[in-house]
């Protein structure tokens, strides 16, 4: 099938280049940069500027055309008025709005040009046939200008009514209505900050054009590599999960930094639109087009979240705020990533193989992964299996019931008679076993991947909610842009903390990230001393099992970040950790780490006491992980700026510990009765209805319990492949 538009053609060749066997063609054959250079010559493609009336398309078009040395065409002046022999205003008055759109579409469909900057009319996108015709000739850049700026400009231009604006419809309403059409046709968004001048917008158009045509500038490298030849596209790293050298993928050039005016603009948006605006800057449009990304994001953060705000920020006390990350379908922060990540994964999949997603979980990731992949289309689920390994005695009863409720042919959970670290280490060992990988590919046409936070597509969506927390404080006038905040995060695998540091890279003024641990405090010990020492350390059971982790995978990304991308250092440190269960960074690097990150830990008694005290004084029920964060925040924060505490799970997931903290007598054994008991204490409004329904629907489902033996886990992987892909339907 021939791609219908220029943008689709680029994306098709990008995907082809990604998955072709390079040995047949050589690594430079058919690269995206080569294709862009061939097709993007001035005589061969148009730059199409789209947006509402008042967006500045004509003025911006002239500036862009002058800078690129390209002819400039204004659809109003150079096409419509010449075709009709009268002004656009006279034509509209003569035939009316509905017929005008049809006549405009006919005129534009007969228009051809190459190598030009073309300023569209505000109503062109309302006519699908003419827009399809225009898109075949080039790339459509949507000048996404703030509605308040548009309203002000139209008022100054004395424009009081536009095409399609019927009587009784306000200018604001018609502008809002038209946005859906601009979102439908764009190839790239030019996000215009509040108050941007036409020169500012023209600069952004040129930067966006350069980004679109140079996708190879947005590559990913392993934390353990310094070889530019090892760079991968976003699509590659989503599918691979773990780099071949055992490292984790990171953006080669870091994160893009947004301007303050752009953040001010994004602050007025709801969460899903914030996510689109932020992620469009982090995912190249030839990997995932803006239209496709928007569809995925709105599906990820819709009615599946119990709170329409998605991640509400609530004032707790004084300078402390709680960021509630638990309103998704499985009641933990993992839903914020895992309602989107499976869609990104499917989009990036080549067609020739089956894929088995392996997941190690300390509790919350398992059910979130199973739920996220369950929501895919049947055609996609038939070639994707999900296998979750969790510690049999290292998760709460409710967490276990959430996971063991998924026991389908292509989605299963298996408990292991060990801890999370063994599960995670075993999965990494499978990825590093070339014989096993080859065997699965040859015998079963199956490729392994992962949905743990070692996968870039798992970590990336978490950046959004850290940005969103700051934007909420901005929108609520708690601060002005540039004022700093601190963020306190209960963490074990360091992914959530790392995503906050990436939000800082994008321009969010996060001063300190405070990492909070329970008595499994390897992270806080490392931040304090620079030594990561597992030699005499055993994993201890706690009331906050999601952070019962000793070997923190995403710490590798952090050291890569703090060391300025020193892949050799990262490789040596983590090979030492594998061999000796110990490494230590230099004092210089430790001091650099402490500029961005602080850490502390709390005891089990302190955790439960915090739950009781906050409920007694504020009427708010925290889960055990949030309580860990609260205790550490109280000890470490200097109270000179607002502090956001990440509430990573709903308290109902850890009902027995929370009920104990609230000094409840006669704690019931049944999970549903435990949740009912919490309702009587905190009120129905604090209960997670999806969690309650899940517990009512679940039984004590039997599940496989596996010995702590790597070969046994490999056997389970092969059994899963048979059940998922080889069973006769």
């Amino acid at each position: 099938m021939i791609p219908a538009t220029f943008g689709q053609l680029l994306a098709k060749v990008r995907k082809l280049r990604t998955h072709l066997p390079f040995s047949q063609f050589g690594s430079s054959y058919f690269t995206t940069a080569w294709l862009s250079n061939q097709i993007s010559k001035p005589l061969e493609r148009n730059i199409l500027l789209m947006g509402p009336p008042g967006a500045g398309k004509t003025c911006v078009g002239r500036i862009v055309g002058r800078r690129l040395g390209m002819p400039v065409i204004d659809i109003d002046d150079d096409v419509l008025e010449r075709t009709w022999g009268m002004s656009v205003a006279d034509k509209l008055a003569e035939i009316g709005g509905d017929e005008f759109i049809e006549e405009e579409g006919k005129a534009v469909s007969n228009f051809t040009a190459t190598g030009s900057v073309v300023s569209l009319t505000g109503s062109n996108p309302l006519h699908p046939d003419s827009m399809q015709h225009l898109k075949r000739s080039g790339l459509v850049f949507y000048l996404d200008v703030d509605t308040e700026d548009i309203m002000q400009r139209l008022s100054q231009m004395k424009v009081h009514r536009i095409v399609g604006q019927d009587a009784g419809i306000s200018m604001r309403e018609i502008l809002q209505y038209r946005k859906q059409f601009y979102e439908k046709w764009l190839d790239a968004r030019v996000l215009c900050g509040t108050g941007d001048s036409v020169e500012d917008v023209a600069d952004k158009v040129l930067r966006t054009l350069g980004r679109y045509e140079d996708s190879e500038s947005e590559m990913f490298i392993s934390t353990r590599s310094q070889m530019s030849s090892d760079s991968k596209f976003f699509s590659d790293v989503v599918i691979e999960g773990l780099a071949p050298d055992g490292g984790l993928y990171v953006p080669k050039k870091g994160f893009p930094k947004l301007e303050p005016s752009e953040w001010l603009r994004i602050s007025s948006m709801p969460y899903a639109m914030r996510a689109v605006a932020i992620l469009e800057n982090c995912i190249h449009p030839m990997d995932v087009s803006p239209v496709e990304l928007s569809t995925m994001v709105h599906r990820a953060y819709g009615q599946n979240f119990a709170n329409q705000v998605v991640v509400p920020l609530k004032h707790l006390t004084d300078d402390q705020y709680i960021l509630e990350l638990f309103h998704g379908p499985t009641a933990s922060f993992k839903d914020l990533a895992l309602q989107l990540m499976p869609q990104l994964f499917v989009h990036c999949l080549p067609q020739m193989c089956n894929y088995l997603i392996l997941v190690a979980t300390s509790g919350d990731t398992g059910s979130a992964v199973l739920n996220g992949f369950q929501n895919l289309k049947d055609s996609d689920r038939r070639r994707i299996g999900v296998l979750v390994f969790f510690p049999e005695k290292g998760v709460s009863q409710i967490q276990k019931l959430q996971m063991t409720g998924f026991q389908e042919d292509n989605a299963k959970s298996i408990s292991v008679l060990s801890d999370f670290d063994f599960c995670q280490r075993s999965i990494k060992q499978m990825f590093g076993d070339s014989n096993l990988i080859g065997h699965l590919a040859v015998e079963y046409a199956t490729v392994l991947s992962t949905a743990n936070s070692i996968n870039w597509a798992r970590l990336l969506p978490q950046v959004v909610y850290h940005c969103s927390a700051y934007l909420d404080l901005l929108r609520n006038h708690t601060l002005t842009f540039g004022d700093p905040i601190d963020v306190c995060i209960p963490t074990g695998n360091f992914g959530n903390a790392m995503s906050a540091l990436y939000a800082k890279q994008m321009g969010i003024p996060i001063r300190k990230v405070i990492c909070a641990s329970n008595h499994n405090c390897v992270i806080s010990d490392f931040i304090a001393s620079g030594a990561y020492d597992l030699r005499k350390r055993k994993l201890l059971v706690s009331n906050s099992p999601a952070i019962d982790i000793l070997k923190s995978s995403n710490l590798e990304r952090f050291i890569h970040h703090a060391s300025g991308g020193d892949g050799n250092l990262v490789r040596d440190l983590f090979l030492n950790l594998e061999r000796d269960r110990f490494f230590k960074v230099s004092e210089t690097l430790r001091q650099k780490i402490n500029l961005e990150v602080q850490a502390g830990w709390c005891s089990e008694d302190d955790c439960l006491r915090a739950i009781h005290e906050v409920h007694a004084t504020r009427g708010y029920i925290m889960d055990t992980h949030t309580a860990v964060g609260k205790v550490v925040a109280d000890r470490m924060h200097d109270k000179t700026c607002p502090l956001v505490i990440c509430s990573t799970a709903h308290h109902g997931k850890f009902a027995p510990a929370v009920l104990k903290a609230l000094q409840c007598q006669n704690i019931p054994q049944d999970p549903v009765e435990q949740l009912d008991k919490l309702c009587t204490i905190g009120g129905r409004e604090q209960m997670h209805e999806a969690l309650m329904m899940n517990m009512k629907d679940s039984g004590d489902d039997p599940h496989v319990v596996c010995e702590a033996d790597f070969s046994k886990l490999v056997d389970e992987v092969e059994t899963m492949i048979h059940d998922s892909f080889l069973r006769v339907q």
Side-chain angles (χ1 to χ4, degrees):
M1 182 177 179
I2 298 175
T5 70
F6 180 86
Q8 290 172 350
L9 177 61
L10 279 177
K12 279 276 188 182
V13 174
R14 167 64 172 274
K15 205 159 190 176
L16 178 64
R17 184 246 189 264
T18 301
H19 300 297
L20 278 174
F22 293 160
S23 59
Q24 296 180 26
F25 305 105
S27 61
S28 64
Y29 182 84
F30 235 22
T31 64
T32 304
W34 174 86
L35 182 74
S36 298
N37 288 335
Q38 298 306 306
I39 300 182
S40 66
K41 294 174 183 177
L43 294 180
E44 295 185 21
R45 63 97 169 87
N46 294 320
I47 297 171
L48 306 164
L49 303 182
M50 174 183 71
K57 301 181 293 295
T58 299
C59 295
V60 171
R62 289 172 184 156
I63 297 171
V64 171
R66 183 174 68 250
R67 293 187 185 177
L68 293 178
M70 297 169 66
V72 179
I73 298 172
D74 184 88
I75 293 291
D76 268 335
D77 296 341
D78 301 322
V79 177
L80 299 182
E81 295 193 355
R82 290 185 183 183
T83 300
W84 294 333
M86 65 173 72
S87 71
V88 170
D90 289 344
K91 186 71 170 181
L92 178 58
E94 176 185 294
I95 63 177
D98 291 341
E99 191 172 342
F100 178 89
I101 291 174
E102 188 60 34
E103 289 299 313
E104 179 186 62
K106 289 179 182 178
V108 171
S109 295
N110 291 322
F111 157 75
T112 58
T114 56
S116 301
V117 178
V118 182
S119 299
L120 308 185
T121 75
S123 54
N124 280 153
L126 278 64
H127 193 276
D129 290 342
S130 62
M131 278 304 297
Q132 194 69 30
H133 169 73
L134 288 167
K135 277 177 68 75
R136 291 191 186 100
S137 69
L139 295 172
V140 178
F141 294 86
Y142 171 29
L143 306 189
D144 188 355
V145 180
D146 182 54
T147 299
E148 297 307 317
D149 285 350
I150 293 291
M151 296 281 289
Q152 184 177 357
R153 293 175 189 175
L154 292 178
S155 176
Q156 292 170 350
M157 296 161 60
K158 301 188 184 307
V159 175
H160 304 296
R161 188 168 296 277
I162 62 176
V163 175
Q165 185 180 356
D166 296 331
I169 302 297
S170 69
M171 182 64 75
R172 191 180 302 276
E173 288 171 329
I174 189 65
L175 291 173
Q176 182 62 37
Y177 169 75
R178 281 194 179 186
K179 282 186 177 182
Q180 62 184 305
F181 299 98
Y182 304 136
E183 296 283 347
K184 176 181 178 180
W185 294 110
L186 82 163
D187 286 308
R189 183 189 313 274
V190 180
L191 183 67
C192 303
T194 302
D196 279 359
S197 68
V198 290
E199 289 81 8
D200 293 331
V201 176
D203 287 340
K204 289 184 178 183
V205 169
L206 293 170
R207 288 199 299 269
T208 304
L209 175 64
R211 178 191 181 217
Y212 200 104
E213 295 184 341
D214 187 18
S215 67
E216 296 196 9
S217 67
E218 294 186 28
M219 304 292 279
F220 292 79
I221 58 172
S222 167
T223 49
R224 302 185 185 186
S225 172
Q226 290 187 325
M227 299 288 291
S228 59
S229 59
D230 294 335
S231 300
K232 298 289 183 73
F233 291 119
F234 176 84
S235 302
D236 300 323
V237 305
V238 172
I239 299 304
E240 290 182 21
L242 193 67
D245 61 7
L248 309 186
Y249 284 116
V250 292
K252 185 176 180 180
K253 295 186 177 180
F255 269 75
K257 187 172 184 178
L258 275 62
E259 299 171 3
S261 63
E262 292 171 327
W263 285 120
L264 289 169
R265 174 77 193 289
I266 296 170
S267 69
S268 65
M269 300 176 182
Y271 187 83
M273 282 306 301
R274 287 178 179 178
V276 170
I278 293 166
L279 294 175
E280 278 180 355
N281 286 276
C282 304
I283 302 174
H284 196 275
M286 287 206 299
D287 282 301
V288 184
S289 76
V291 173
E292 292 166 321
L293 180 61
S294 180
T295 299
M296 294 179 199
V297 167
H298 282 88
R299 186 176 179 218
Y301 308 126
Q303 294 183 352
N304 50 339
F305 277 75
N307 191 304
Q308 64 179 5
V309 179
V310 183
V311 287
L313 182 72
K314 296 184 177 180
H315 183 240
L316 185 62
T317 180
D318 299 327
D319 58 341
Q320 292 185 356
Y321 296 80
I322 293 282
L323 184 63
E324 292 187 345
L325 302 174
F326 53 70
H327 291 285
T330 69
S332 88
F333 80 102
K334 306 296 176 68
D335 289 322
L336 273 303
L338 286 163
Q339 291 296 301
L340 179 59
M341 184 265 186
Q343 298 181 71
L344 292 169
F345 187 85
V346 166
H347 177 84
C348 297
L349 278 183
Q351 296 297 317
M352 70 286 289
C353 294
N354 300 314
Y355 284 81
L356 180 61
I357 311 296
L358 298 181
V359 178
T361 182
S362 55
D364 290 329
T365 297
S367 59
V369 169
L370 291 163
N371 181 279
F373 278 91
Q374 183 191 44
N375 293 330
L376 296 174
K377 295 183 297 185
D378 288 344
S379 58
D380 294 324
R381 291 176 62 199
R382 280 194 288 270
R383 61 195 188 101
I384 299 174
V386 180
L387 180 58
V388 173
F389 294 112
F390 67 91
E392 171 66 18
K393 296 182 180 180
V395 299
S396 75
Q397 183 184 11
I398 289 178
Q399 286 177 313
K400 183 181 293 188
L401 289 172
Q402 283 184 296
M403 288 185 284
T404 56
F406 291 90
Q407 298 296 341
E408 302 175 2
D409 289 342
N410 67 337
K412 292 182 180 178
S413 56
I414 293 175
S415 71
V416 181
L417 297 174
S418 187
D419 54 28
F420 167 81
D421 287 318
F422 174 82
C423 298
Q424 181 168 252
R425 184 169 64 251
S426 297
I427 287 177
K428 286 187 174 182
Q429 187 176 342
M430 291 183 205
F431 277 95
D433 188 335
S434 58
N435 291 330
L436 174 63
I437 296 298
H439 168 70
L440 298 179
V442 172
E443 293 296 322
Y444 307 117
T446 297
V447 176
L448 299 182
S449 189
T450 181
N452 280 95
S453 58
I454 58 176
N455 189 309
W456 183 251
R458 237 301 298 281
L459 192 67
L460 179 60
Q462 296 177 218
V463 176
V464 175
Y465 57 70
H466 291 297
C467 299
S468 186
Y470 187 87
L471 298 179
D472 280 346
L473 292 170
L474 193 65
R475 186 170 60 183
N476 296 339
H477 307 294
T478 302
L479 43 71
T480 57
F481 193 86
D483 294 339
I485 65 169
D486 289 342
V487 179
C488 184
I489 302 171
T491 189
N493 221 12
F494 210 82
N496 206 352
M498 196 66 232
S499 62
L501 292 167
Y502 286 142
K504 180 178 180 178
Q505 270 194 19
M506 292 194 75
I508 295 296
I510 295 174
R511 185 183 63 168
K512 290 280 190 179
V513 174
I514 301 172
C515 296
S517 303
N518 57 27
H519 52 206
N520 293 300
C521 51
V522 63
I523 289 287
S524 59
D525 287 351
F526 167 72
I527 298 299
S529 68
Y532 203 90
D533 192 351
L534 301 179
R535 289 173 296 188
K536 297 181 180 180
R537 197 183 294 262
K538 291 185 178 180
L539 193 72
L540 305 174
V541 175
S542 80
N543 290 316
S544 47
I547 56 175
D548 285 347
I549 296 170
L550 293 182
K551 190 172 287 187
S552 176
S553 290
N554 278 287
L555 191 68
E556 184 162 337
R557 284 189 171 111
F558 177 50
I559 294 177
H560 187 271
H561 160 78
S563 66
D566 190 338
N568 289 331
L569 171 67
V570 173
R571 183 187 63 246
D572 291 344
L573 290 177
F574 283 88
L575 288 177
N576 286 344
L577 186 64
E578 289 296 324
R579 183 183 64 248
D580 303 328
R581 296 176 59 79
F582 172 84
F583 69 71
K584 186 171 184 177
V585 301
S586 68
E587 179 60 19
T588 300
L589 182 54
R590 188 194 69 80
Q591 291 178 5
K592 190 173 182 181
I593 286 170
N594 290 159
L595 292 176
E596 291 192 288
V597 176
Q598 293 179 323
W601 69 279
C602 82
S603 68
E604 295 294 277
D605 289 342
D606 289 340
C607 169
L608 299 184
R609 189 179 303 112
I611 294 172
H612 180 265
E613 289 177 354
V614 168
H615 179 256
T617 58
R618 310 298 298 179
Y620 187 84
I621 304 178
M622 300 185 298
D623 90 294
T624 49
H625 303 79
T626 310
V628 168
K630 168 69 172 159
V631 172
V632 172
D634 287 343
R635 291 174 182 168
M636 303 199 68
H637 189 237
D638 62 10
K639 303 185 186 302
T640 60
C641 66
L643 172 73
V644 175
I645 301 172
C646 289
S647 182
T648 54
H650 187 269
H651 59 263
K653 298 190 78 166
F654 310 96
V658 173
L659 288 169
K660 178 182 177 182
L662 297 175
Q663 300 178 0
C664 176
Q665 302 299 315
N666 302 317
I667 299 173
Q669 295 298 309
D670 180 71
V672 174
E673 293 179 15
Q674 293 169 1
L675 296 179
D676 282 333
K677 194 80 170 176
L678 285 170
C679 282
T680 65
I681 298 171
R684 197 78 191 183
E685 66 276 7
Q686 288 199 50
M687 183 44 60
H688 194 290
E689 293 299 327
L691 179 62
M692 176 70 86
M693 291 301 298
N694 183 254
M695 289 301 100
K696 288 181 177 179
D697 292 340
S698 69
D700 191 7
D701 299 297
H703 64 280
V704 175
V705 180
C706 186
E707 297 175 20
D709 182 326
F710 175 74
S711 64
K712 299 291 185 183
L713 269 63
V714 171
D715 290 342
E716 294 295 343
V717 167
E718 291 210 47
T719 299
M720 183 67 185
I721 291 172
H722 276 276
D723 292 344
S724 298
F725 309 126
L726 303 182
R727 178 172 292 182
V728 177
Q729 302 295 322

